[in-house]
Amino acid sequence: MAHIIVVGNEKGGAGKSTVSMHVATALARLGHKVGVLDLDLRQKTFGRFVENRKATMARAGVDLATPEYHDLPEVDPAILKPGENPYDRRLSMAVAALEADRDFIIIDCPGSHTRLSQVAHSLADTLITPLNDSFVDFDLLAHIDPETNKVKGPSVYSEMVWNARQLRAKAGLKPIDWIVVRNRLGAQMMHNKKKMGDAVEDLSKRIGFRVAPGFNERVIFRELFPRGLTLLDLRDIGVVGQMNISNVAARQELRELMKALNLPGVEVKI
């Protein structure tokens, strides 16, 4: 049975696809069979990444460990049960097509609330929520008192995760391991960074998630996307000598993230 990793929140620009692409590629490079679904049915960023990767492999004559990407299948309305949501059936069919022979399935969610995203969260064994180091993004998880910076209560996304946890509990499934990944942790703005850190730690104890460091803002991520590559692939395509200090730091960030995820059967050697 595949371990399902859902990468989601309801705000765009937090780095969900960047995290998805790197975690999926890292797992594939570690020898695991990885399947990927992209629930942003219009943009399909992960699908484009895999297309770009295959084109790079053909052009460079190299074989890179690559996750298996699937589009959601179309569904004939005639096969739906009365009242059944077609998106529920499409997602369940896509997962079923992958889980028999995959070690991990990664589901990349859109930056908005959709039926597909809601259902995907209830399937998660591991939930990764990337969060920019800003109280604008933190508002997705909880409401803050502007005078004291104390957490007043959970916000809409946290409530959706709570509902997903309840559904899993009723179905007798193991609890979701929820990890909030703090992206774009800059060296500057130390006062804001500390306030954010305190708020995230406070909330983690109240609603039950772990905190992990993510990726800083780096040009290399944008530069590699058109070729479908990650920092882990540079040695294979012969450009390792061009790596600068920022690239090396980004590899270390990915290594620390993979360790923090603590995925079953994964020995981090990247």
Side-chain angles (χ1 to χ4, degrees), residues 186-223:
Q188 306 301 319
M189 305 292 290
M190 295 303 292
H191 182 59
N192 176 75
K193 186 175 179 179
K194 183 181 186 306
K195 288 199 298 183
M196 268 291 294
D198 291 343
V200 170
E201 287 294 339
D202 179 26
L203 187 62
S204 72
K205 297 180 178 66
R206 294 179 59 172
I207 63 176
F209 58 77
R210 298 191 287 120
V211 183
F215 298 117
N216 283 321
E217 181 68 34
R218 300 187 190 279
V219 175
I220 189 67
F221 297 138
R222 296 190 291 272
E223 290 179 339

Side-chain angles (χ1 to χ4, degrees), residues 93-114:
M93 290 173 63
V95 170
L98 287 169
E99 65 181 352
D101 65 347
R102 299 288 107 181
D103 301 316
F104 294 94
I105 298 173
I106 296 182
I107 303 178
D108 188 12
C109 293
S112 60
H113 179 77
T114 66

Side-chain angles (χ1 to χ4, degrees), residues 5-163:
I5 303 169
V6 173
V7 183
N9 65 22
E10 294 179 7
K11 187 178 185 303
K16 290 185 295 296
S17 292
T18 298
V19 168
S20 296
M21 290 182 292
H22 280 77
V23 170
T25 303
L27 288 172
R29 291 182 62 92
L30 289 169
H32 299 282
K33 296 179 180 179
V34 183
V36 175
L37 302 174
D38 191 338
L39 302 190
D40 189 337
L41 302 184
R42 181 174 175 84
Q43 187 71 24
K44 293 185 179 179
T45 299
F46 205 109
R48 291 288 303 141
F49 173 80
V50 174
E51 287 179 9
N52 296 342
R53 190 173 182 85
K54 291 179 178 178
T56 294
M57 287 192 288
R59 185 169 55 248
V62 296
D63 185 20
L64 302 174
T66 301
E68 180 181 343
Y69 172 81
H70 279 204
D71 281 321
L72 295 193
E74 296 297 333
V75 175
D76 183 349
I79 71 171
L80 296 176
K81 299 175 182 177
E84 183 180 9
N85 188 299
Y87 289 107
D88 293 6
R89 176 64 71 92
R90 293 178 70 187
L91 181 55
S92 65
M93 290 173 63
V95 170
L98 287 169
E99 65 181 352
D101 65 347
R102 299 288 107 181
D103 301 316
F104 294 94
I105 298 173
I106 296 182
I107 303 178
D108 188 12
C109 293
S112 60
H113 179 77
T114 66
R115 174 67 183 184
L116 278 172
S117 182
Q118 183 180 5
V119 175
H121 279 67
S122 69
L123 300 177
D125 297 304
T126 297
L127 171 60
I128 305 173
T129 300
L131 189 75
N132 288 332
D133 210 47
S134 160
F135 279 106
V136 174
D137 281 45
F138 186 82
D139 191 64
L140 178 82
L141 296 179
H143 300 300
I144 290 286
D145 186 305
E147 300 299 326
T148 65
N149 289 321
K150 296 294 185 182
V151 175
K152 295 194 295 183
S155 193
V156 288
Y157 181 74
S158 296
E159 290 176 354
M160 186 182 78
V161 175
W162 171 257
N163 290 333

